[in-house]
Amino acid sequence: MSQIKRSPFQRSFYVANTMEIFERLAWYGMYTLLASYIMTPTSQGGLGLGNTERGLIMGVVPFFLYLFPVVSGALADRFGYRKMFLLSLTLMAPSYYFLGYAKDLGSFMSIFMLIALGAGIFKPVVIATISRTTDDTNRGLGFGIFYMMVNIGGFLGPLLAPIIQKHYGWEWVFIFACIWISVNFIPALFFYKEPERHAENKTLTQVFHEMQQVLGNFRLALLAVPLLVLLVGFYAGFINETMTLITVIVLIVSAIIWDVVVAKYDNNNAIQNQVPQRKSAPVNPPWYLQKMRIGNKPFMVYLLILTGFWTVYMQIFVTLPVYIRDFVDSSDLVTLLHSINPWLHDVLTSINIDTLTGEITRLAASYSQVDIAQSQVAIEEITRTLSALDIRLPQQEIINSFGQLSQLNQVGQSAAMVQILTPDVAQQWAQQWASQYRQMNPATILSIDFLMIIIFQISISHFVDKFKALPALIVGTAILSISMLMQGFAHGMIFGGLFVSCAVAVFAVGEMISVPKSQEYVASFSPKDKAAMFMGYYFVSMALGNLFAGLLSGWLYGYFATELSRPEMMWAIIACLGFATCIAFYLFNKHFISAIQKQQLAQKEQLTEQLAEQSAKQSTSVA
């Protein structure tokens, strides 16, 4: 039996994969630290914002990032891949640089949105390049290599970024992201060759027409988009609860009345046009005379359910870093790493003594007049400040150390004398605390997820291929949910760092099972001649998932973790959302897919009967 010879990969295939490594290196090097950066005090170079702003930034901007490819993919087909590559790099490189110097919410979100626009252009172009530089003999291997490159960049980014941040400061995290992106100008300009185009390019009009076929018409968008804007506005505090509720009711009632009026208009036209006329192609009325219409109903329901999956999935980037920083004692990981490899320990868990000394000096000047033992606000502020530097100080140590400064004032020492003594004491404390209380950076722990995928994705995919898409998708989502539930116990354990690392490893297993199957499942019910189009709009669920993940994280963390000091309840709610998604997947398959399959089977049987009847008639006429 002869085997099909695999075609060699084209040069642009390797160029695109190389560019993907550097793009992901820049993105994940920034994004895995973003939650911590947003909440890091301004005295350490962070934004110094709160949970609400963190949820807003990490929800809204990625939402648009995953919507941009719907249009940017069509633009790439029209104007060329190389030009769009260069446009995306031109947008991202300076934006990464200036993002580190944006010090307020408005400017930060504006610059971050430019990065999202550039990434939204880059993403469909690199995927299209992989698709068009492979054929049926090597496409599976080609996309496997591409997924590996994504995770190599994803692994290196969060591994290198904390080291850069500790040695050079926060602004250098963004500067290095700018450098990684700028490296891509070299292959884009000198090595990338435009792949051949085997299909007719789509115009923007065709793109929007397809959106109506798959997602829904403009009338539906006219209701859905304002509702999303209201949700974001209410979350950000721009609109109060009463005004939000009234506006939502007005929008929904107006849409219903609009549909009723349009329905009467259609009925009147139908009565007036009862005179038989020559058959012609139906003409769609203008958008304002159309009723709200969902495109492909099963696909839309699937996207909404999948939104729940992505909402749970994104918590590893949106919530987990700040949770580890604020609640999990990862000193056990530091000790374990030191016993395994002291050099690696020094690299991955290094502490900037000068920065720590400066922060201790500043805190001492702020709280030297306060009785630390009786000021919970002061203790929380000191804990939060030192946690941002990967130092987790026990409360009693805070009371004993900073309490000495208060006693200096109480025994009659002048403020000037305290200022002279504080830097020397702070230097000693910094060295002592860096030795005894250092923590593992959350981004380093998150890199375990990418490392697991690099090592095990191929073997797990080979094993999971034996099963149908839906059961595998449900199992993978359930494993993700179990991982979220495990996170809630990490802060109460002696080996909290090791436990949260195990939870991240469990998460990686769930991700390796569910993410590929979530895409494969689309093919099981999408029309065969429109499978590629449906896969393009699959990313809408990722956009909505990012939006809801950010908003949900900000609210849950602010209320349960910060106000109630019950982070386990936050993780339990997130896990419950994941399990509810599993149930929704099962019901969706039972209600929609089974019905579609029965309908397809009935149509097939009907067609078979018709062919049999035609064959019988032909036999009779011949006889």
Side-chain angles (χ1 to χ4, degrees):
M1 181 178 178
S2 60
Q3 294 183 348
I4 300 176
K5 184 178 180 180
R6 182 181 291 121
S7 302
F9 293 116
Q10 301 178 27
R11 184 177 69 180
S12 293
F13 171 85
Y14 295 105
V15 174
N17 275 287
T18 303
M19 294 173 67
E20 180 68 13
I21 292 178
F22 286 102
E23 193 276 333
R24 292 291 86 184
L25 178 59
W27 172 260
Y28 281 116
M30 178 273 297
Y31 195 68
T32 52
L33 288 178
L34 186 59
S36 297
Y37 173 72
I38 292 170
M39 300 183 67
T40 293
T42 55
S43 60
Q44 297 178 24
L47 277 182
L49 300 177
N51 280 301
T52 301
E53 293 82 1
R54 175 180 61 84
L56 189 67
I57 293 171
M58 302 190 72
V60 173
V61 177
F63 167 74
F64 285 101
L65 189 156
Y66 285 100
L67 286 185
F68 289 144
V70 174
V71 177
S72 61
L75 292 175
D77 284 333
R78 292 189 65 186
F79 298 108
Y81 290 180
R82 183 201 297 273
K83 292 180 180 178
M84 297 303 287
F85 266 139
L86 293 175
L87 176 60
S88 69
L89 299 177
T90 303
L91 286 169
M92 286 191 287
S95 298
Y96 271 119
Y97 178 83
F98 288 111
L99 192 64
Y101 294 94
K103 296 305 179 184
D104 60 83
L105 178 62
S107 60
F108 189 88
M109 284 197 69
S110 300
I111 298 173
F112 194 18
M113 192 67 74
L114 290 176
I115 295 177
L117 176 59
I121 294 172
F122 186 94
K123 186 179 292 292
V125 177
V126 71
I127 293 176
T129 300
I130 302 301
S131 178
R132 290 191 169 180
T133 55
T134 56
D135 54 32
D136 293 338
T137 65
N138 60 9
R139 183 164 292 118
L141 176 61
F143 274 95
I145 294 173
F146 171 73
Y147 192 60
M148 190 71 69
M149 298 303 105
V150 170
N151 285 280
I152 288 175
F155 171 69
L156 293 176
L159 196 66
L160 297 176
I163 300 173
I164 294 170
Q165 184 269 320
K166 290 176 183 178
H167 285 83
Y168 304 106
W170 276 109
E171 67 275 7
W172 279 94
V173 173
F174 302 97
I175 292 173
F176 267 89
C178 170
I179 293 173
W180 305 138
I181 282 295
S182 299
V183 168
N184 276 340
F185 277 107
I186 299 174
L189 285 170
F190 301 108
F191 300 105
Y192 184 80
K193 182 180 178 182
E194 197 80 20
E196 295 182 6
R197 304 183 188 183
H198 304 290
E200 182 182 354
N201 297 334
K202 297 178 183 177
T203 65
L204 289 180
T205 302
Q206 291 174 315
V207 170
F208 289 117
H209 180 67
E210 286 183 353
M211 290 179 66
Q212 291 192 30
Q213 289 181 326
V214 179
L215 304 179
N217 62 356
F218 184 75
R219 280 288 321 284
L220 182 65
L222 203 59
L223 175 64
V225 173
L227 289 177
L228 289 176
V229 172
L230 277 173
L231 174 64
V232 174
F234 170 70
Y235 174 86
F238 300 145
I239 311 174
N240 60 38
E241 183 176 352
T242 304
M243 183 60 66
T244 301
L245 182 61
I246 293 174
T247 308
V248 168
I249 294 174
V250 169
L251 283 173
I252 294 176
V253 172
S254 299
I256 294 173
I257 295 175
W258 195 339
D259 271 6
V260 172
V261 173
V262 169
K264 290 183 178 180
Y265 173 83
D266 287 342
N267 291 334
N268 292 335
N269 280 347
I271 294 173
Q272 293 175 4
N273 296 327
Q274 286 181 351
V275 179
Q277 297 179 354
R278 184 171 57 88
K279 292 184 179 181
S280 59
V283 178
N284 289 328
W287 67 269
Y288 53 85
L289 293 179
Q290 296 178 15
K291 296 179 66 175
M292 284 189 299
R293 186 181 72 251
I294 296 176
N296 186 292
K297 189 176 180 180
F299 185 62
M300 284 294 292
V301 174
Y302 177 72
L303 288 184
L304 291 176
I305 298 173
L306 201 60
T307 297
F309 166 83
W310 289 115
T311 302
V312 174
Y313 173 90
M314 291 306 300
Q315 300 304 323
I316 193 173
F317 301 110
V318 180
T319 306
L320 187 59
V322 291
Y323 167 71
I324 294 175
R325 184 199 66 181
D326 293 344
F327 289 96
V328 178
D329 182 3
S330 59
S331 57
D332 57 316
L333 282 181
V334 177
T335 304
L336 179 63
L337 186 60
H338 185 270
S339 63
I340 296 174
N341 191 319
W343 176 83
L344 198 60
H345 163 271
D346 293 338
V347 172
L348 295 181
T349 67
S350 61
I351 301 294
N352 191 317
I353 298 297
D354 292 336
T355 303
L356 180 57
T357 301
E359 282 296 271
I360 293 173
T361 304
R362 182 185 65 82
L363 291 170
S366 301
Y367 295 109
S368 59
Q369 303 291 335
V370 180
D371 186 358
I372 299 295
Q374 298 179 1
S375 178
Q376 188 62 33
V377 174
I379 293 176
E380 291 177 357
E381 172 65 18
I382 294 171
T383 301
R384 184 165 50 249
T385 301
L386 297 180
S387 295
L389 296 172
D390 295 336
I391 296 293
R392 186 172 181 82
L393 210 60
Q395 182 169 317
Q396 192 58 47
E397 180 70 22
I398 294 175
I399 295 173
N400 294 339
S401 299
F402 286 92
Q404 296 176 10
L405 299 175
S406 298
Q407 293 173 6
L408 288 174
N409 281 343
Q410 292 173 5
V411 298
Q413 295 285 351
S414 66
M417 189 63 179
V418 173
Q419 292 300 319
I420 293 174
L421 293 174
T422 299
D424 296 332
V425 176
Q427 181 78 22
Q428 297 174 9
W429 289 350
Q431 294 174 347
Q432 178 184 349
W433 294 346
S435 174
Q436 297 180 1
Y437 302 115
R438 74 171 65 185
Q439 301 287 296
M440 185 72 73
N441 190 277
T444 306
I445 297 177
L446 260 61
S447 66
I448 295 173
D449 175 52
F450 299 100
L451 182 61
M452 289 278 294
I453 294 173
I454 293 172
I455 297 174
F456 298 110
Q457 179 67 69
I458 294 177
S459 58
I460 287 182
S461 294
H462 180 72
F463 174 76
V464 174
D465 278 344
K466 302 176 183 178
F467 304 94
K468 292 183 178 180
L470 177 69
L473 178 55
I474 293 176
V475 169
T477 306
I479 293 175
L480 287 181
S481 305
I482 292 172
S483 171
M484 296 295 118
L485 202 59
M486 290 174 64
Q487 308 290 358
F489 296 98
H491 67 282
M493 293 192 168
I494 298 176
F495 300 103
L498 185 60
F499 189 81
V500 79
S501 299
C502 292
V504 171
V506 171
F507 179 93
V509 174
E511 178 183 356
M512 287 184 278
I513 294 173
S514 56
V515 173
K517 287 298 181 182
S518 68
Q519 299 175 355
E520 179 185 329
Y521 193 51
V522 176
S524 68
F525 62 86
S526 61
K528 300 302 180 184
D529 58 335
K530 297 180 180 179
M533 181 176 69
F534 274 68
M535 282 306 305
Y537 295 110
Y538 161 89
F539 290 100
V540 172
S541 66
M542 297 182 68
L544 291 172
N546 274 272
L547 176 63
F548 295 143
L551 302 185
L552 183 66
S553 171
W555 176 71
L556 289 178
Y557 199 89
Y559 181 69
F560 289 103
T562 303
E563 292 186 22
L564 300 184
S565 296
R566 297 291 302 275
E568 69 277 4
M569 295 181 65
M570 171 190 68
W571 289 114
I573 292 173
I574 294 171
C576 286
L577 176 60
F579 291 126
T581 302
C582 294
I583 297 173
F585 275 135
Y586 171 78
L587 295 176
F588 168 78
N589 184 78
K590 184 176 181 180
H591 179 71
F592 283 98
I593 302 304
S594 298
I596 293 174
Q597 291 174 345
K598 289 180 181 179
Q599 183 180 1
Q600 292 175 343
L601 181 61
Q603 291 175 348
K604 185 176 180 180
E605 292 176 351
Q606 184 179 2
L607 180 62
T608 303
E609 291 176 358
Q610 291 176 352
L611 292 175
E613 290 177 1
Q614 292 177 359
S615 178
K617 289 180 180 179
Q618 292 176 355
S619 300
T620 304
S621 62
V622 171

